[in-house]
Amino acid sequence: MKIRLYIMDDHVLMIDGLRSYFLDHDEFHIVGTATDPRIGLAEIEVKRDQIDIVLTDIEMPYMSGLDVCSALR
């Protein structure tokens, strides 16, 4: 069984680096990514039952990663 990840970071380079790392490991599957936490939260709500872990940056525009975690809870 694969671990299903959603990656949220305001830097595309960071998302690309994490995506590259996890694509090299068969036990992970990336469900989606977002550079805007508002869009990410909307996508996560739709795919909630398809995601095991959300990896998020702490400091992002519009909403912090801590605010994202609170909203997800």
Side-chain angles (χ1 to χ4, degrees):
M1 184 170 144
K2 292 190 177 202
I3 299 170
R4 302 166 298 179
L5 302 171
Y6 191 95
I7 303 170
M8 193 180 311
D9 196 299
D10 58 322
H11 297 97
V12 175
L13 185 62
M14 181 60 96
I15 290 175
D16 290 345
L18 289 169
R19 183 191 328 252
S20 176
Y21 175 81
F22 287 117
L23 288 176
D24 286 342
H25 295 82
D26 291 337
E27 64 270 19
F28 295 100
H29 171 70
I30 298 172
V31 175
T33 65
T35 56
D36 183 326
R38 300 169 298 182
I39 293 170
L41 280 175
E43 288 180 355
I44 290 168
E45 276 302 313
V46 172
K47 299 178 180 182
R48 185 175 278 270
D49 61 337
Q50 301 169 23
I51 300 169
D52 298 314
I53 297 172
V54 175
L55 295 176
T56 181
D57 188 0
I58 294 296
E59 293 186 29
M60 295 181 286
Y62 312 114
M63 178 180 256
S64 77
L66 298 174
D67 293 334
V68 168
C69 291
S70 292
L72 290 173
R73 218 166 29 133

